[in-house]
Amino acid sequence: MKTYKIYSLICFLAILSIFGCKDEFLERPPQGTLVAGNFPSTGEEAVIATNGIYNTLRIWGIYSGGFPLIDIMTDEMVKGSNPGDGVQVLNFQDFTFTATDGNIESWYRTLYLGIRRSYLVLEKVPEIEMDPQLQNRLLGEARFLRSFFYFSLVRAFGDVPLVESSEAPNGLERTNKETIYQDIIFPGLLFAIENLPEKSEYSDESAGRITKGAARALLARIHLYRGEFPDAATYALEVINSQQYDLENEFQMAFRVATEHGQESVFEIGAIPEGDFALGGNQYANTQGVRGTPNWGWGFGRPSYPWIQKMNDNNDPRLEGSVIFLGDVIDGVTIEGDRTTQDTTYAEDGSIVEIETYNRKVYATGERNADRWGHNRRVIRYADVLLMAAEALNETGSSPQALIYLNEVRERARGNNETILPDITTTDPNQLREIIYEERSRELAFEGLRYWDLIRTERADEVLGPLGFEAGKHELFPIPQSEVNISEGKISQNPNWN
């Protein structure tokens, strides 16, 4: 049963539709007397406004336009669904998408929506006479989320316009991404670390709110992406040494309803099993759910056959926890799949190209289609923190220590079967680097990380080149052409996208 209320959504005024949501903790009705000029003006309203930032995390466009495009653009996932549906998604699988693609525009604009909602809190809450501890906590949450949105923007698009208020002026130009890192992203996360509670300090009713651990983990991820390994190691180890987190006993339990906001969850987006964003649902899992029989979703984002083969060849039990196969029985329901989709697709030479499968990591218990809308998306898991620590330590001359965290992930993965996934013993940095890269692919597949891992480690051309990736172009997404056009030349396009 859902024990938190933070993510329930009710829009309460047209004038606040950019910012507003239900005050989940107080369960107050819509505040019909609020106006933009005086909202928020009380401690209760400060909580409402902050919850409005969180609600952005469930909007369909927040993750690459709604479809799991960042995974589909890797070697671990393909378009999926019915062959005749989602042609625009297929354009991402083969890298033929353009700057006019609506998914990119939706993604870009939703991230800025979150930023504007963040500024409503950052502008108004400091002026409110309220409990200082709560006030600083809400500001820490807002700064964390603003940093999260901006990191998502600069990682995907490079230099982007720097919006610094809830009412963004017209005519903004692109700002150097390093300025955004140094002026917005890093200071915001450091403020969050200083002012947010640890996970154990929140009540069950507040499960899902941002914590010190989430801020540290996001800093570790950002520094790793930037190749700043000493800093990445520092923040990952702070999460580990906080003793606030642990791995679930079984790999597949890290994604289940029973472990929502559990011991492995560092940063998680909660949702309610209602087939409507306005009621608190999140369509992320519905988009990828089993299509056909049972009717759990659209079926986009199919685990790739080469990745499945790799896991099979190594008897990696994480395959079962990551992929739904036809014939599987889940909660008493037999997975039959989509009648209009081929169970197996073959190449001209008779080799298998694709089999009908689905992403098990987004499965949510329940018979209704709407139950998939209740899936809590795990954005940062403790397993990722362990692997970030292992990689960063290996790159900073501490390979023996890196083995501790790498092998902790492998030990959980193998369970009681001592014949598979043995502990890694090599301390050769070059060998260990490749092993950690591979471990990330196995542990974190379909979680939106593979593409960025390949970009940051400069392996994208080698791995994704055969799929259509072009070096010098696809390291960044195009700025939506609509934004370039509206700017009348003030916003330039990314290289090779014109």
Side-chain angles (χ1 to χ4, degrees):
M1 180 178 179
K2 303 281 183 179
T3 60
Y4 55 91
K5 302 174 183 178
I6 183 174
Y7 296 106
S8 299
L9 173 65
I10 295 179
C11 292
F12 51 81
L13 265 193
I15 195 167
L16 291 176
S17 61
I18 294 178
F19 310 113
C21 68
K22 179 182 176 183
D23 180 355
E24 296 81 3
F25 298 95
L26 301 174
E27 294 189 327
R28 293 174 61 87
Q31 304 298 296
T33 60
L34 297 174
V35 295
N38 65 15
F39 176 81
S41 60
T42 67
E44 292 182 355
E45 292 173 4
V47 174
I48 295 175
T50 305
N51 292 348
I53 315 171
Y54 280 91
N55 285 324
T56 315
L57 298 170
R58 284 200 329 273
I59 296 176
W60 199 62
I62 193 69
Y63 298 108
S64 56
F67 297 98
L69 302 179
I70 297 301
D71 288 313
I72 291 171
M73 292 169 63
T74 74
D75 54 335
E76 296 178 349
M77 186 175 274
V78 295
K79 176 184 81 70
S81 193
N82 184 286
D85 286 352
V87 175
Q88 75 276 25
V89 181
L90 187 62
N91 293 338
F92 287 84
Q93 179 178 309
D94 61 14
F95 291 86
T96 59
F97 61 93
T98 69
T100 62
D101 190 281
N103 294 294
I104 296 175
E105 180 179 10
S106 173
W107 182 20
Y108 183 92
R109 291 187 174 184
T110 305
L111 289 170
Y112 273 112
L113 172 62
I115 289 168
R116 293 184 64 193
R117 288 178 171 177
S118 301
Y119 274 112
L120 179 69
V121 171
L122 296 175
E123 292 164 354
K124 296 295 186 68
V125 170
E127 303 172 357
I128 299 174
E129 291 188 9
M130 59 182 293
D131 176 71
Q133 186 174 1
L134 174 59
Q135 186 177 50
N136 283 335
R137 197 202 80 195
L138 296 177
L139 292 172
E141 294 175 49
R143 288 192 179 212
F144 173 98
L145 290 166
R146 182 183 62 173
S147 294
F148 175 77
F149 296 135
Y150 262 121
F151 175 57
S152 299
L153 276 167
V154 299
R155 182 175 58 176
F157 300 99
D159 301 342
V160 294
L162 177 58
V163 173
E164 298 183 276
S165 70
S166 58
E167 294 298 329
N170 295 324
L172 290 177
E173 301 179 0
R174 298 178 71 170
T175 296
N176 185 289
K177 64 181 180 182
E178 193 61 27
T179 298
I180 298 174
Y181 274 117
Q182 301 304 330
D183 292 355
I184 301 292
I185 296 174
F186 289 138
L189 293 175
L190 292 174
F191 182 92
I193 290 173
E194 183 178 350
N195 290 279
L196 293 181
E198 293 282 12
K199 183 175 182 177
S200 61
E201 295 173 339
Y202 277 117
S203 66
D204 289 344
E205 289 74 18
S206 296
R209 301 206 84 101
I210 306 300
T211 64
K212 287 184 186 292
R216 288 167 173 154
L218 183 55
L219 271 170
R221 177 176 287 181
I222 292 171
H223 284 300
L224 194 72
Y225 182 77
R226 288 164 56 89
E228 297 163 347
F229 298 112
D231 289 328
T234 294
Y235 288 111
L237 289 173
E238 286 184 2
V239 176
I240 294 168
N241 294 333
S242 72
Q243 299 184 336
Q244 296 286 311
Y245 308 94
D246 202 353
L247 297 176
E248 298 291 344
N249 292 332
E250 298 179 31
F251 169 76
Q252 62 182 349
M253 289 305 298
F255 313 96
R256 298 295 169 257
V257 171
T259 59
E260 288 172 348
H261 304 301
Q263 63 187 19
E264 190 163 341
S265 174
V266 181
F267 177 27
E268 178 173 331
I269 300 168
I272 291 174
E274 295 290 347
D276 191 317
F277 168 68
L279 297 177
N282 185 342
Q283 201 171 2
Y284 180 79
N286 170 260
T287 303
Q288 300 179 66
V290 175
R291 178 174 179 142
T293 305
N295 179 28
W296 285 345
W298 298 357
F300 287 100
R302 177 168 299 155
S304 74
Y305 186 67
W307 186 85
I308 292 171
Q309 278 188 305
K310 175 178 71 175
M311 299 292 279
N312 258 329
D313 291 345
N314 289 273
N315 296 316
D316 196 317
R318 286 173 289 194
L319 176 61
E320 181 180 354
S322 302
V323 179
I324 296 175
F325 293 92
L326 299 186
D328 283 353
V329 178
I330 302 178
D331 293 339
V333 178
T334 300
I335 308 302
E336 299 179 26
D338 183 17
R339 290 179 298 174
T340 60
T341 298
Q342 289 182 320
D343 293 352
T344 305
T345 303
Y346 297 92
E348 292 183 0
D349 62 3
S351 61
I352 295 176
V353 174
E354 184 178 340
I355 60 176
E356 184 181 351
T357 58
Y358 298 90
N359 180 0
R360 192 169 189 136
K361 288 185 175 181
V362 300
Y363 169 75
T365 304
E367 298 179 358
R368 304 176 305 148
N369 184 301
D371 290 321
R372 254 39 66 189
W373 290 66
H375 168 75
N376 281 16
R377 184 165 192 262
R378 280 66 163 179
V379 180
I380 304 179
R381 292 193 289 123
Y382 186 59
D384 184 16
V385 175
L386 292 172
L387 292 175
M388 288 193 288
E391 182 177 345
L393 289 166
N394 182 56
E395 298 295 340
T396 53
S398 299
S399 299
Q401 188 181 2
L403 290 178
I404 298 171
Y405 305 115
L406 170 63
N407 286 327
E408 189 173 342
V409 174
R410 291 173 66 83
E411 180 183 9
R412 193 269 297 270
R414 67 174 173 262
N416 296 322
N417 189 346
E418 297 296 331
T419 67
I420 59 173
L421 300 177
D423 280 357
I424 302 299
T425 59
T426 181
T427 55
D428 177 272
N430 295 322
Q431 293 179 12
L432 190 53
R433 179 184 302 116
E434 296 302 321
I435 291 169
I436 294 170
Y437 288 167
E438 180 60 25
E439 196 65 29
R440 288 184 65 83
S441 174
R442 295 166 181 273
E443 175 73 27
L444 305 171
F446 325 141
E447 297 181 45
L449 297 173
R450 173 68 167 174
Y451 190 78
W452 306 121
D453 279 351
L454 293 174
I455 296 293
R456 69 177 177 82
T457 58
E458 299 182 345
R459 294 177 293 147
D461 191 32
E462 174 189 355
V463 176
L464 304 179
L467 304 179
F469 178 93
E470 296 180 26
K473 178 179 182 179
H474 290 118
E475 290 86 353
L476 294 176
F477 284 81
I479 300 293
Q481 192 59 43
S482 59
E483 298 295 318
V484 175
N485 295 342
I486 291 171
S487 76
E488 297 182 345
K490 290 185 177 180
I491 297 178
S492 60
Q493 187 53 271
N494 277 327
N496 299 312
W497 282 104
N498 290 318

